[in-house]
Amino acid sequence: MANNNLFSDFEAVSSKQWKQQIQYELKGADYNETLVWESPEGIKVKPFYHNDETEVNLDAITPSKPFAIVQNIFVHDVKKSNARALETLQRGAESVRFTLENDAVSIEELMQNLPLENVNYYFSLPFLSVEFSNKINEFTSKNKVNIFIQNDPIGQLAKDGNWFENLEKDFEKLNTIASKTTVPFLTISSGIYQNAGANIVQQLAYTLAQANEYFNRIPAINQPITIEVAVGTNYFFEIAKLRALRLLFNTLASEYNHNFDCHIIATPTKRNKTLYDYNVNMLRTTTECMSAILGGADAVANLAYDAIYHKDNEFGDRISRNQLLVLKHESYFDKVNNPADGAYYIEMLTEQLAEKALELFKDIEKNGGLISQLIDGTIQRKINESAQKEQELFDSGKEVLLGTNKYPNKNDQMKNDLELYPFVKQNARKTLITPIIEKRLAEKLEQERLSQEQ
């Protein structure tokens, strides 16, 4: 039955015939003005895509395993963090990302009694230490466990405005780590670009340029590079973004004879999350996680619905984890490899995003590379321009966040529920560059509402 051509008895309909029918039903309205829209990336989206005008031939590069569910744990108390990791792994998490405060943490104590087989552990480090990386490497070799060290000095520069120490010493340490470790030790924290308002082409180009800086400056890379991605709300574009990212990374890596694929960890964006009517955030993160999975992320770390104003809590963690468990075990999102393959619309988006990102990447390299353009402020300026355009769409109501700038609940009171300050704080301090600031679209409107609460 599977080999039969089920549609052989039906006459094929060409793209020309579809367009003629659409134009007839428009009753004189202009086809392009009515149905074709242009994305912030300059991609014109048509109302339909047809195989007789699709010439995309992309080599499918997808993970060999289904996506893993990641639980984020900030390590303040080692024993409590260990107990929490054990509990979350027993309740559906499949990987754990530890964010450490400092290098005084005992790896043995943190990992005590945790399952070592078929689980990935990520160590996100807000410091750069050869000694600590060596300790992780030794622990990994001794215990046969999969650990990813997340070092990202360029990400530190972009977010904080300063290197850990300085450019020369940071890369000297990375090269020392590269020469001694068998553990993946590099991360590209590209989520900051999305959360600050960069469009998808910029996100891809800046991520590629950051990878190129590492390939250029660390010749001894022999491990996969982890890429942290923030997933936005434009469903099909975000699927295409992850596919284009993997395609672009592998194209670049092959130029350096780097044979490892990238390891993508996706997290829903904070940019469209809201303080008011916060339960809607669960709907947003669900579709964003779906985009991440269909786009081929290796791992997904969901964002709790209350993450912007509540400290980590058991209820928020459980709900965010259960969203992924439902997608995996009740919706079977893990059963098909590369489900977007052959979808004409997504294939076209993937190709166009990749081409535009590659063009921007070449321009960045022609003008000194990512680090140089961060130092002279070009990257920050371009992101600010993109963010401002999106902010204007939100302020005018053309970009909608339900419960905030459309259908708000006037009786919603949030002033007394804030455990975290959900707005951008900028403290005056000396930095090498202007840091890239993550900012949510709803911040200004929310501040106005908070000031009016009794």
Side-chain angles (χ1 to χ4, degrees):
M1 185 67 178
N3 294 325
N4 292 338
N5 189 342
L6 299 179
F7 299 99
S8 59
D9 292 335
F10 296 89
E11 185 178 345
V13 181
S14 68
S15 59
K16 183 178 179 180
Q17 289 173 298
W18 275 114
K19 190 169 182 180
Q20 286 174 341
Q21 181 64 31
I22 292 170
Q23 287 179 319
Y24 171 76
E25 294 184 5
L26 284 173
K27 301 185 187 306
D30 185 87
Y31 175 89
N32 290 317
E33 290 184 5
T34 306
L35 297 178
V36 177
W37 60 275
E38 187 170 327
S39 77
E41 295 78 21
I43 294 175
K44 291 185 177 180
V45 180
K46 300 183 295 184
F48 74 96
Y49 290 80
H50 195 285
N51 64 350
D52 68 10
E53 56 182 17
T54 303
E55 298 179 359
V56 180
N57 292 302
L58 299 176
D59 292 328
I61 306 168
T62 57
S64 57
K65 298 179 181 179
F67 75 97
I69 298 170
V70 180
Q71 178 67 55
N72 290 319
I73 297 178
F74 183 84
V75 180
H76 180 67
D77 182 299
V78 175
K79 289 185 178 180
K80 289 182 179 179
S81 298
N82 171 266
R84 186 178 168 201
L86 185 59
E87 180 190 21
T88 56
L89 287 169
Q90 292 170 343
R91 299 181 69 178
E94 297 160 330
S95 297
V96 175
R97 176 163 53 187
F98 292 115
T99 298
L100 276 56
E101 280 189 312
N102 52 58
D103 60 1
V105 172
S106 167
I107 300 168
E108 289 77 10
E109 189 176 356
L110 183 60
M111 295 291 292
Q112 187 175 8
N113 298 323
L114 295 181
L116 302 181
E117 292 185 6
N118 302 316
V119 180
N120 287 336
Y121 294 93
Y122 306 92
F123 281 70
S124 181
L125 309 182
F127 55 86
L128 185 59
S129 168
V130 174
E131 292 74 21
F132 195 80
S133 294
N134 288 341
K135 288 180 182 178
I136 293 177
N137 189 53
E138 291 171 7
F139 179 87
T140 303
S141 300
K142 181 179 178 181
N143 295 279
K144 307 300 180 185
V145 58
N146 294 324
I147 291 180
F148 292 75
I149 306 173
Q150 296 195 262
N151 291 311
D152 185 11
I154 300 177
Q156 164 73 11
L157 174 69
K159 185 174 183 178
D160 184 72
N162 290 311
W163 297 98
F164 288 113
E165 198 165 350
N166 58 52
L167 187 152
E168 290 76 17
K169 291 186 178 179
D170 281 7
F171 276 97
E172 181 182 336
K173 288 180 179 179
L174 281 180
N175 276 286
T176 301
I177 293 170
S179 67
K180 294 183 177 181
T181 187
T182 58
V183 175
F185 66 94
L186 265 180
T187 286
I188 298 172
S189 306
S190 71
I192 188 173
Y193 305 127
Q194 199 283 339
N195 280 306
N199 65 43
I200 290 176
V201 168
Q202 290 173 328
Q203 294 168 46
L204 290 169
Y206 300 159
T207 303
L208 198 63
Q210 192 165 332
N212 197 49
E213 293 282 3
Y214 284 133
F215 282 132
N216 267 320
R217 297 172 186 270
I218 312 170
I221 297 175
N222 290 308
Q223 300 83 13
I225 294 178
T226 303
I227 303 179
E228 293 186 339
V229 179
V231 181
T233 194
N234 194 343
Y235 188 73
F236 292 106
F237 272 71
E238 292 294 331
I239 295 172
K241 179 177 83 175
L242 266 66
R243 290 163 57 85
L245 173 59
R246 202 177 288 277
L247 180 67
L248 288 167
F249 178 89
N250 282 274
T251 300
L252 176 67
S254 66
E255 295 296 318
Y256 289 90
N257 297 315
H258 182 69
N259 299 318
F260 290 97
D261 192 6
C262 57
H263 183 85
I264 298 176
I265 305 177
T267 300
T269 180
K270 292 180 181 177
R271 187 158 172 77
N272 65 348
K273 302 305 178 286
T274 57
L275 180 60
Y276 289 93
D277 214 354
Y278 50 76
N279 289 313
V280 179
N281 290 331
M282 278 189 273
L283 307 178
R284 297 182 180 117
T285 55
T286 298
T287 64
E288 288 156 3
C289 287
M290 289 166 65
S291 291
I293 297 164
L294 296 176
D298 296 275
V300 182
N302 198 8
L303 187 72
Y305 73 99
D306 59 350
I308 63 172
Y309 70 93
H310 268 172
K311 295 177 182 177
D312 287 351
N313 60 90
E314 196 277 334
F315 183 77
D317 283 349
R318 180 165 59 86
I319 294 299
S320 64
R321 188 169 59 248
N322 284 348
Q323 288 173 261
L324 291 169
L325 287 167
V326 167
L327 289 175
K328 192 165 208 175
H329 298 295
E330 295 188 25
S331 302
Y332 310 111
F333 269 56
D334 62 329
K335 298 302 182 185
V336 179
N337 182 266
N338 195 22
D341 190 33
Y344 307 140
Y345 177 39
I346 296 175
E347 294 280 3
M348 289 291 290
L349 288 180
T350 301
E351 181 184 55
Q352 290 181 68
L353 289 173
E355 287 178 350
K356 287 178 176 291
L358 187 60
E359 184 179 345
L360 179 55
F361 164 72
K362 290 178 178 178
D363 182 72
I364 293 169
E365 295 305 309
K366 181 181 176 181
N367 289 283
L370 184 77
I371 292 175
S372 176
Q373 292 208 346
L374 280 171
I375 291 172
D376 68 25
T378 300
I379 301 295
Q380 296 90 322
R381 176 171 53 82
K382 294 293 186 181
I383 292 176
N384 286 338
E385 289 172 359
S386 174
Q388 187 57 40
K389 289 177 182 177
E390 188 180 17
Q391 189 68 53
E392 289 170 0
L393 291 174
F394 173 80
D395 293 344
S396 67
K398 292 179 181 178
E399 182 161 338
V400 173
L401 292 181
L402 292 177
T404 301
N405 70 340
K406 194 174 185 67
Y407 308 129
N409 178 1
K410 299 296 184 182
N411 297 319
D412 206 355
Q413 301 279 309
M414 291 299 299
K415 182 179 287 187
N416 297 323
D417 291 332
L418 304 184
E419 294 178 359
L420 301 172
Y421 186 73
F423 309 111
V424 171
K425 272 186 180 178
Q426 287 183 279
N427 299 319
R429 58 189 178 86
K430 188 175 182 180
T431 59
L432 176 66
I433 69 167
T434 302
I436 296 173
I437 306 297
E438 299 180 349
K439 187 176 182 180
R440 294 181 301 108
L441 288 167
E443 288 195 16
K444 181 181 177 182
L445 193 152
E446 289 172 348
Q447 285 177 310
E448 292 172 355
R449 285 189 63 176
L450 281 171
S451 67
Q452 295 168 4
E453 287 186 18
Q454 300 299 322

